[in-house]
Amino acid sequence: MKRTAIWIGISYTAGLLIASLLSWRFWPTLLGVTALTVWLLIMWKKSVRKYVCISTLSFLTACCVYWGYDAVSIEPQLAFAGQQNVLFTGKVREIREYDSGYAGYLLEGKLENAVNAKLWYTCEGGDYVYGDTLTVCGNPEAMTSGYLFDASTYYRGRGIFLRMFGGEVTERVPRPHHTLRSLLYEWRMTMSERLLAQTGERSGPMLVGMLFGDTCRMDSISETAMYRMGIGHVLAVSGLHLDFLALCAAWLLRRLKADKRLVFASVAVLSVLFVLCVGEPVSARRALIMILLSQSAGLFGRKADAFNSLSIAMLLLELHNPMVIHSAAFWLTSTATFGIAVFAVYMTKPMPQTSFWEKQKKSFAMFFCASLALFPVLILYFHEVSLISPLSNLLLVPLCMAAFGLSAVSLLFGAQGFLAGMLLWTAELLAEAVLAVSGFVSSLPLTYTGTGSAMLRVSVFVGTVAIMLCYLFCRDRRFLGTMIAGVIAVTSAAAEWENGWQRDHLRIAVLGEERDCVLVIAKADEAVAIDLTGDSRAADYVRNYLESAGTARLDALIFCNAEETAVSSYTHITHVYRPARTMTVYDEENAGTIEFAFHDALIRVEGECVNVSYGMTDYLCCRETEARADCDVLTVFGRSRDVLPACGVLHILDEETCYRPDAQTWIGENNLELTLAMDGRCRVRRLYGDS
C-alpha cells in the first residue's frame, strides 16, 4: 500500500483527531510518543521508511493546524460569549423554520466588524431571505450541549461556535441581486412545495428528504423506522445520491457517443449544481471530490483508485475546515465510503459471481462489510443502530433509489404536468412500500439495539482499532476475517453479559431540565415512564433514553400533570413502544394515587411524588417542598427557594451505598441514572458529559 495520498490523508486525519482530544500542552509528550512509534515502525520494516516519514510530517502538521486554528480563529470568537450588546454583521446562509413560530438563521460575517465568525441567530418570526445582510445587536453565547442534543459538537463540526437568541436587528440590507446559490435555494423551496402538494403525507416528505436532504416535514415515526432498518442514510444527501446522478448522466452521454471531455465537463457541472442546490453538506462535497477525481482519471489515461480518492477528499475537506473532524456527517460519509468501496471490495474479491445467487451472496457480503465499517461511528453518534442493515440495504435501497430517480426526472418538468405527475405517482408507490416494510420490520425484536451500553462502546472501539491495524499492516484476508469474527463474538458476549447483569438490577432515569422531571424505570427490555411535570419536551427525554437503553416496550405510561400538549407529545412513544396501559393520576378513578408492581419493584405514584421499593432500597422522587427523608435515595426536582438555587438534586442518604464519594448531590441537572441492586447497592451516573 505505497500510495502517498493515502499515507498523507490517514495521518492528517489522525493528527486532527488526536489534537481534538488533547490540549496543545501535551505537545512534548505527543512528540515523544510519535518519535518512538516512528522508530519502531522503521525498525520493523525499513522498506516503508519514506512513507513513515511522510506520515509523521502530515500527522504533526495536522496537530499544529488544529491547535493554531483554535488559537487564531475560535478563541477570539468565544471571547465575545457572555458579553452584552455585541454587534454582528453577516449574510444569511441558511434558514430553518420551527413549529413554534421561531426561525433560525445562519449568519456569516464579523463580530464588531473585527472578528470573522459564523453565528446561529434565532428570533421570533422574521421574513429574512437567503443572501440578506443583517446587523444584529444582542448577547452571544457559546454553543452548549445537553442530554437531548450535542449542539456543541454538531455546530463545532460546521465551524459555528456562537449563537444568539433574540436580540435586535438594527439594520437589514436586502440582497442586491440574485446569486447562483440564492437561485438554487429558491428553486429547491419551490420544487419541495410542488412535490409535497402532489404526494402523500408520509411519502412526500420522504421524497423531499431523499432529493434535498430536508427531513423537517417527515414524521418521527417513519424516520425512526427507516433508521432502525439501517436505510436512514437515504434521507440525507449522501454520496449515494450524487453517485447515482453522475453515473446516470455519464451513461447517457456515452450512449450518445459524446467525447470523454464533454462527459467529464457535463458530469462536473451537474454535480456542482446538485451540491450547491442541497446546501453543500459535507457528504455531498466528499462525493463531488471523488467523482471529479474518478471522471478526470480517464482524461489522463489513468485509473482512479477508491482509497486514494477518499484520502484526497478527506484531506481537502479537513484543509478547508479543520473542525470537520468533529462532524458526525464527515465520519459517516468517510467510513461508509471506505466500507463499501475499499474494505468490502477487498474482503469479497475472491468470491465468485457467475450465477444469480452467487451475485446476491456477494452483494450481501459487501453490505455486511460496509455495515461493519460504519458500526463504530453509529455507536458513537446515535442512540440506536440497526442489526439488519446489510439485508435491508440490499432489498430496500434499490427501491429508494428508483423513487429518487423518478422524482429527480420529474423536476426536469418542474414537478408539474401529466408526465411529472405519473413519475411522482410511481415514486410515491415505491416510497410507501419502503415505509410500510420499514414500519413492520423495525417493530420486530432483535432488529436493532441501543447504544447506551458502556461495555458495547469499549468493545467496539478496541475491536475497530485491532481490525484497522490488521488491515493496514497484515493484508491477509483469512486472518482479517478471523479477527472480525473474534471481535463480533467478544462484543456480543460482552453485551450479553451486561444485559444479563442489568436483568438483575433496576434502573431509574431522572430526566428533564430545571423545573421539569420525568422518570423512566427500566428492567431488562421493559420500562415504565412517569411524567411528573407535564412539560412538552419530556417526551423527547423519554425517547432518547428508551432508544439508547434498547427498550422494546413500555409496561405503563403515567401522567401526573396531564396537559393536552404534554400528552400529545407522546404520540411517537405510544406508537413505537405501545404501552400496555396509560394512566392519569388526577382522574376520578385513581383519585390521585396509583400503585402497581413492575418486575420485583413496587411503584407508588401519589400526587407529584413517586416511591419505588426494590429489594433493600427505598427510592423517593418528589418536589422540594414535599421532600421527606424516610427513604434511602431521594431525588428533588423543581426550584428550591431555601436550600438550593436550582433543580436536579439527588441525595443518597446512606453514604456507604454510593460508589463515588462526591456523587450524593448534583445541582442544576436532572439527567442521571440510578442502578439499584436487590442487596441495597446503588450506582449513579450522568447520562451525558462526564460520567
Side-chain angles (χ1 to χ4, degrees):
M1 192 185 66
K2 298 181 179 180
R3 287 167 285 183
T4 306
I6 295 176
W7 288 84
I8 295 175
I10 292 177
S11 302
Y12 196 87
T13 301
L16 289 181
L17 182 61
I18 295 298
S20 69
L21 299 174
L22 300 176
S23 167
W24 64 268
R25 295 178 179 85
F26 287 88
W27 172 254
T29 304
L30 182 64
L31 198 60
V33 173
T34 304
L36 178 60
T37 304
V38 169
W39 180 78
L40 291 174
L41 287 173
I42 292 176
M43 294 299 295
W44 171 64
K45 199 170 184 179
K46 293 184 179 180
S47 61
V48 298
R49 181 183 305 168
K50 169 185 173 183
Y51 300 98
V52 169
C53 293
I54 292 174
S55 297
T56 304
L57 181 61
S58 178
F59 175 83
L60 296 177
T61 300
C63 293
C64 295
V65 168
Y66 184 93
W67 290 325
Y69 186 86
D70 184 72
V72 174
S73 179
I74 300 177
E75 290 184 7
Q77 296 182 48
L78 293 179
F80 287 92
Q83 294 188 21
Q84 304 292 316
N85 299 322
V86 175
L87 284 176
F88 181 89
T89 303
K91 290 187 176 182
V92 177
R93 294 303 187 194
E94 184 179 329
I95 303 172
R96 190 178 303 167
E97 297 180 356
Y98 305 109
D99 295 336
S100 61
Y102 284 80
Y105 301 90
L106 174 59
L107 304 180
E108 184 175 357
K110 289 189 175 184
L111 288 158
E112 296 289 349
N113 293 320
V115 178
N116 292 323
K118 292 180 180 179
L119 177 78
W120 189 260
Y121 174 61
T122 305
C123 63
E124 187 174 4
D127 56 350
Y128 313 119
V129 299
Y130 187 96
D132 283 355
T133 300
L134 305 181
T135 299
V136 184
C137 180
N139 309 325
E141 302 173 354
M143 290 290 183
T144 56
S145 297
Y147 178 63
L148 291 181
F149 179 48
D150 189 2
S152 177
T153 301
Y154 172 77
Y155 286 108
R156 191 178 187 87
R158 300 182 59 191
I160 306 170
F161 308 98
L162 295 173
R163 64 182 177 186
M164 186 183 295
F165 187 85
E168 180 185 0
V169 177
T170 59
E171 184 181 5
R172 174 190 179 183
V173 180
R175 76 175 171 231
H177 52 77
H178 278 292
T179 63
L180 178 60
R181 282 188 173 90
S182 66
L183 288 172
L184 289 172
Y185 177 84
E186 293 181 1
W187 178 81
R188 184 182 74 188
M189 293 295 103
T190 302
M191 293 300 105
S192 297
E193 294 301 328
R194 291 180 181 178
L195 282 171
L196 292 171
Q198 298 189 58
T199 51
E201 293 183 359
R202 299 174 68 221
S203 58
M206 176 183 168
L207 295 175
V208 171
M210 288 195 297
L211 284 168
F212 304 120
D214 182 6
T215 59
C216 63
R217 301 177 182 86
M218 194 167 183
D219 66 273
S220 59
I221 297 172
S222 300
E223 196 170 359
T224 297
M226 294 188 68
Y227 277 102
R228 284 185 172 181
M229 289 290 289
I231 59 172
H233 57 88
V234 302
L235 299 176
V237 179
S238 63
L240 180 68
H241 302 71
L242 190 55
D243 288 339
F244 180 80
L245 286 177
L247 288 174
C248 290
W251 176 84
L252 180 61
L253 289 170
R254 290 192 182 103
R255 296 285 293 181
L256 296 174
K257 307 297 183 181
D259 182 74
K260 59 183 180 181
R261 287 169 294 186
L262 177 61
V263 172
F264 170 73
S266 302
V267 170
V269 171
L270 176 64
S271 300
V272 169
L273 290 176
F274 179 78
V275 172
L276 291 175
C277 179
V278 298
E280 305 172 52
V282 65
S283 57
R285 285 184 283 138
R286 189 274 312 157
L288 173 63
I289 296 170
M290 292 188 68
I291 286 172
L292 294 179
L293 289 173
S294 63
Q295 294 292 328
S296 62
L299 297 178
F300 302 97
R302 306 188 66 171
K303 185 177 180 180
D305 177 80
F307 202 177
N308 208 53
S309 299
L310 175 61
S311 300
I312 295 173
M314 293 175 65
L315 181 62
L316 292 176
L317 291 173
E318 291 161 350
L319 289 173
H320 177 258
N321 175 24
M323 294 297 113
V324 78
I325 202 71
H326 295 279
S327 170
F330 171 77
W331 286 109
L332 285 170
T333 188
S334 300
T335 53
T337 304
F338 173 81
I340 196 69
V342 182
F343 182 62
V345 172
Y346 171 77
M347 293 299 295
T348 60
K349 188 175 182 180
M351 295 179 66
Q353 48 179 343
T354 54
S355 67
F356 172 79
W357 291 112
E358 286 178 342
K359 291 180 180 179
Q360 298 306 308
K361 181 180 178 181
K362 184 170 183 177
S363 297
F364 178 81
M366 291 190 69
F367 281 118
F368 179 76
C369 292
S371 298
L372 282 179
L374 198 57
F375 199 71
V377 180
L378 296 176
I379 288 287
L380 183 63
Y381 286 102
F382 291 86
H383 297 293
E384 293 179 334
V385 292
S386 172
L387 298 179
I388 58 171
S389 60
L391 183 61
S392 56
N393 274 270
L394 180 64
L395 299 178
L396 295 183
V397 167
L399 297 180
C400 294
M401 296 316 297
F404 169 78
L406 292 170
S407 302
V409 173
S410 74
L411 299 183
L412 299 177
F413 301 96
Q416 288 181 326
F418 175 77
L419 186 55
M422 291 299 297
L423 293 171
L424 289 175
W425 177 77
T426 308
E428 184 179 5
L429 290 179
L430 295 173
E432 288 289 353
V434 170
L435 290 172
V437 173
S438 300
F440 172 73
V441 177
S442 64
S443 64
L444 301 177
L446 303 179
T447 58
Y448 62 95
T449 185
T451 61
S453 166
M455 184 69 70
L456 180 64
R457 289 172 177 263
V458 172
S459 300
V460 169
F461 175 77
V462 173
T464 301
V465 172
I467 292 172
M468 287 295 296
L469 291 175
C470 179
Y471 174 78
L472 291 173
F473 295 105
C474 181
R475 306 296 287 179
D476 184 280
R477 289 186 181 86
R478 290 186 178 180
F479 183 72
L480 185 58
T482 302
M483 177 167 284
I484 291 173
V487 169
I488 293 174
V490 171
T491 302
S492 301
E496 183 59 31
W497 177 85
E498 188 174 34
N499 289 336
W501 179 82
Q502 289 183 349
R503 290 189 186 98
D504 299 327
H505 296 75
L506 190 75
R507 304 187 308 278
I508 303 175
V510 186
L511 309 172
E513 184 179 354
E514 296 189 353
R515 300 175 184 229
D516 310 318
C517 183
V518 56
L519 293 184
V520 177
I521 305 168
K523 189 172 183 182
D525 60 349
E526 293 184 320
V528 171
I530 306 173
D531 190 332
L532 292 167
T533 52
D535 183 73
S536 58
R537 293 180 301 173
D540 295 328
Y541 284 93
V542 174
R543 175 184 174 184
N544 273 24
Y545 183 79
L546 294 178
E547 288 179 350
S548 61
T551 304
R553 72 179 190 90
L554 276 177
D555 181 72
L557 177 60
I558 301 171
F559 297 97
C560 294
N561 287 275
E563 297 182 5
E564 184 177 351
T565 54
V567 175
S568 62
S569 66
Y570 281 84
T571 302
H572 175 275
I573 291 175
T574 56
H575 181 88
V576 174
Y577 296 97
R578 304 181 185 280
R581 45 189 168 168
T582 301
M583 297 177 281
T584 303
V585 173
Y586 291 128
D587 61 13
E588 296 180 358
E589 179 181 350
N590 293 306
T593 301
I594 296 175
E595 185 173 300
F596 61 97
F598 174 68
H599 290 270
D600 299 322
L602 179 64
I603 301 174
R604 179 182 176 86
V605 185
E606 182 178 3
E608 293 183 315
C609 285
V610 177
N611 184 272
V612 181
S613 298
Y614 183 74
M616 300 176 61
T617 305
D618 194 47
Y619 166 78
L620 179 67
C621 176
C622 58
R623 284 192 181 277
E624 187 277 333
T625 55
E626 303 174 5
R628 304 188 301 271
D630 53 345
C631 57
D632 302 303
V633 182
L634 171 66
T635 298
V636 178
F637 67 89
R639 291 190 176 275
S640 170
R641 297 179 180 177
D642 303 325
V643 183
L644 299 168
C647 66
V649 184
L650 169 71
H651 297 284
I652 297 176
L653 304 181
D654 180 3
E655 296 181 3
E656 296 181 357
T657 64
C658 189
Y659 81 112
R660 287 180 53 168
D662 61 343
Q664 296 160 3
T665 304
W666 278 272
I667 299 176
E669 182 174 13
N670 285 350
N671 300 293
L672 310 167
E673 182 189 68
L674 293 81
T675 302
L676 306 180
M678 290 293 288
D679 59 5
R681 288 178 297 165
C682 176
R683 187 187 74 172
V684 185
R685 71 181 182 102
R686 283 189 174 96
L687 291 173
Y688 73 98
D690 297 331
S691 60

